[in-house]
Amino acid sequence: MQMFLRGGLAALLLVLAAIPALSHHGWAWTADGFFELEGVIAEIYIGNPHATLDVDVEGETWRVELAPPSRTIAAGFTEDVAKKGDEVTAIGHRSRDSNERRMKAVRLVIGGKTYDVYPDMAPPA
Amino acid sequence: MEFFDAIEQIGPVRLLKASFYAYPIVNALHIAAIGALLTSVVLLDLRLLGAFAALPKAEFVSTFRRIAVLAFAVAALTGLTLFSVRASEYATMPVFLLKMGLIAAALANFLGFVALQRGRSDGEVTAAGLRAAALASIVLWSSVLLCGRFIGFV
């Protein structure tokens, strides 16, 4: 009996330890209000676990997180529509940590074209 | 860095990078392997520390050790696969490097314990050494888990 209790306790601890894992890839780390970033694309990554852009804003590099690749590509944003050096406007939510140059975008505007990578969360155009 | 860039360019790795099903499946296998590894390691260490005393120690330890080794092999293989997709990015992450260091320390702890055990004719390590190795094992593998989790956040 005692063995089962101890085993159960150990199992419970393992489950509790795993709970923070469920909150990943969400929006928990981002601030509530919309945030807009304008800069020049320094790096494009479209792939798993999710796409990212590195954007140069007056000499500082920002990391813009996008959706998983399938969703990003479905929004029309592929490696063919943008390249390093292009001007980009990213609209979304920045990190709650104001010292961190990181945001998660719901919309990108490049060369006059709009890509809503999270259409259901994007502001009215 | 060129080495890591080259990894990202391997054919199957490029497919995995853009895949819809394969990447989450590999990810799920990695998590499953980590679950099996942590569970078997913690149960095995708790047995060495005196828990589950009703079960025969030698059989308990050898059974869970075999599961742990197998789980580690799967975790390492799937982990390497996940790493390959964005190798150059992960390779520069302090928390990723810390995780690799902790894995090395946990493996050294394991191998040291096995060597110590083999070196003694009765197969028993001193109580203090055994407790220290078991506690270090729990702390190290839990830290590996935590670092792995943080890779997704930093």
Side-chain angles (χ1 to χ4, degrees):
Chain A
M1 191 60 211
Q2 203 192 0
M3 185 198 82
F4 281 111
L5 283 176
R6 285 194 193 166
L9 191 66
L12 182 69
L13 284 174
L14 284 172
V15 169
L16 286 176
I19 284 177
L22 300 174
S23 59
H24 183 38
H25 290 305
W27 300 80
W29 56 277
T30 59
D32 291 333
F34 278 110
F35 175 75
E36 193 170 313
L37 186 78
E38 277 186 58
V40 174
I41 296 176
E43 202 70 58
I44 302 175
Y45 175 82
I46 297 179
N48 284 303
H50 47 76
T52 61
L53 283 183
D54 286 341
V55 177
D56 184 272
V57 183
E58 291 163 0
E60 291 185 325
T61 303
W62 279 70
R63 169 55 62 89
V64 178
E65 310 215 346
L66 306 170
S70 56
R71 212 165 162 170
T72 304
I73 293 165
F77 188 72
T78 66
E79 273 161 357
D80 302 326
V81 302
K83 60 183 185 305
K84 283 186 204 178
D86 284 355
E87 298 235 355
V88 60
T89 303
I91 297 160
H93 302 273
R94 70 172 296 176
S95 169
R96 284 185 199 279
D97 179 357
S98 55
N99 292 319
E100 199 182 20
R101 292 193 292 273
R102 180 183 292 264
M103 68 173 290
K104 189 156 176 171
V106 298
R107 170 178 292 163
L108 294 175
V109 182
I110 297 165
K113 279 213 72 178
T114 297
Y115 305 94
D116 283 344
V117 293
Y118 283 104
D120 45 336
M121 296 182 71
Chain B
M1 274 348 272
E2 273 175 28
F3 170 68
F4 294 118
D5 289 335
I7 291 176
E8 294 169 9
Q9 298 309 317
I10 299 168
V13 173
R14 288 180 60 86
L15 286 178
L16 189 66
K17 177 188 156 189
S19 70
F20 181 70
Y21 292 109
Y23 186 90
I25 289 170
V26 175
N27 207 336
L29 285 172
H30 191 56
I31 294 168
I34 290 167
L37 175 62
L38 261 284
T39 305
S40 52
V41 160
V42 170
L43 288 176
L44 155 59
D45 289 331
L46 286 176
R47 181 67 191 87
L48 292 174
L49 290 169
F52 322 118
L55 296 173
K57 189 167 164 183
E59 287 84 345
F60 191 103
V61 168
S62 71
T63 300
F64 281 100
R65 183 172 285 169
R66 243 177 283 137
I67 295 170
V69 168
L70 182 67
F72 177 79
V74 176
L77 201 67
T78 51
L80 189 67
T81 307
L82 295 172
F83 169 81
S84 68
V85 167
R86 241 187 144 169
S88 55
E89 166 113 351
Y90 294 126
T92 61
M93 275 187 177
V95 70
F96 175 80
L97 299 173
L98 178 62
K99 178 183 175 182
M100 293 303 114
L102 285 165
I103 290 174
L107 288 178
N109 181 58
F110 169 69
L111 293 174
F113 177 73
V114 170
L116 207 65
Q117 209 176 28
R118 292 247 166 94
R120 295 176 66 93
S121 54
D122 56 2
E124 279 294 325
V125 185
T126 60
L130 188 141
R131 284 184 70 86
L135 283 172
S137 166
I138 291 176
V139 170
L140 286 169
W141 286 114
S142 305
S143 307
V144 169
L145 176 78
L146 205 61
C147 280
R149 211 41 255 181
F150 267 99
I151 290 172
F153 287 91
V154 291

